Amino acid sequence: EPEVTQTPSHQVTQMGQEVILRCVPISNHLYFYWYRQILGQKVEFLVSFYNNEISEKSEIFDDQFSVERPDGSNFTLKIRSTKLEDSAMYFCASSPLSYEQYFGPGTRLTVT
Amino acid sequence: KNQVEQSPQSLIILEGKNCTLQCNYTVSPFSNLRWYKQDTGRGPVSLTIMTFSENTKSNGRYTATLDADTKQSSLHITASQLSDSASYICVVSARFSGGYNKLIFGAGTRLAVHP
């Protein structure tokens, strides 16, 4: 069964560094999403992406964040200058035209 | 403001027992309501999805109900197993023009099933 994959599973970075989190959505899906979950807290919506542009973004998704679908298969989330409070699990999800979203296993980002 | 509230925050039950988890929401425009199971350190996995017109939906030992008038949902787990130990998250989807869905997550109920 096709699934969303994410790499790396765990990323450790120093404050102020740039990180890129990678996702490979399910191949025939058209909508792509990033969510984050700070340890012990609820999952929060970051951004949705469709037709090579951002459809919606939350207040969390500020200028430090960007998304890209560089090659038709990968979907990336870039954090330009990481802060301690960016430490969280980041989940990618994708969906076809229907409303079901399929989540990847997540990338644990630790900012030191 | 779009919100999803869940209760209880945590629950401990004995293996084989039943339990019911609650979800209240204020989300607009409402598209559907989902229950997810999330194991520690893993991504959420969908258990059920219900649209406005559906009152109940089952998936094995999981049965979800939806009352769209009162904006309440419940997830009933029958004959619990040790592997049911996880967080159960109520997620309400708002559907916008263009076809994409914005998911609003509850904080989850942490269920522990003890032998």
Side-chain angles (χ1 to χ4, degrees), chain A residues 3-6 23 90-94 102-107, chain B residues 42-44:
Chain A
E3 55 186 20
V4 176
T5 59
Q6 290 185 243
C23 168
Y90 287 82
F91 294 106
C92 172
S94 68
Y102 297 83
F103 284 80
T107 291
Chain B
R42 306 295 299 274

Side-chain angles (χ1 to χ4, degrees), chain A residues 31 33 35 37 42-45 48 50 55-56 89 91 97-101 103-106 108, chain B residues 4 32 34 36 38 41-44 46 49 51 89 95-96 98-103 105-107:
Chain A
Y31 299 89
Y33 311 84
Y35 297 85
Q37 185 175 30
K42 65 173 71 174
V43 177
E44 300 172 289
F45 168 78
S48 59
Y50 170 71
S55 309
E56 189 184 3
M89 282 288 282
F91 294 106
L97 284 176
S98 69
Y99 44 65
E100 175 65 274
Q101 290 188 23
F103 284 80
R108 179 171 297 284
Chain B
V4 177
N32 56 74
R34 311 140 184 251
Y36 283 85
Q38 185 180 25
R42 306 295 299 274
S46 180
I49 298 177
T51 59
I89 305 174
R95 189 175 182 90
F96 295 91
Y100 72 93
N101 290 276
K102 178 179 177 180
L103 301 186
F105 286 73

Side-chain angles (χ1 to χ4, degrees), chain A residues 28-41:
Chain A
N28 61 343
H29 286 188
L30 300 176
Y31 299 89
F32 313 107
Y33 311 84
W34 281 102
Y35 297 85
R36 80 169 185 192
Q37 185 175 30
I38 295 171
L39 185 64
Q41 297 185 22

Side-chain angles (χ1 to χ4, degrees), chain A residues 11 19-20 23-24 37 39-40 49 65 87 93 101 111:
Chain A
Q11 173 87 48
V19 293
I20 298 176
C23 168
V24 179
Q37 185 175 30
L39 185 64
F49 191 86
F65 292 88
S87 295
Q101 290 188 23
V111 182

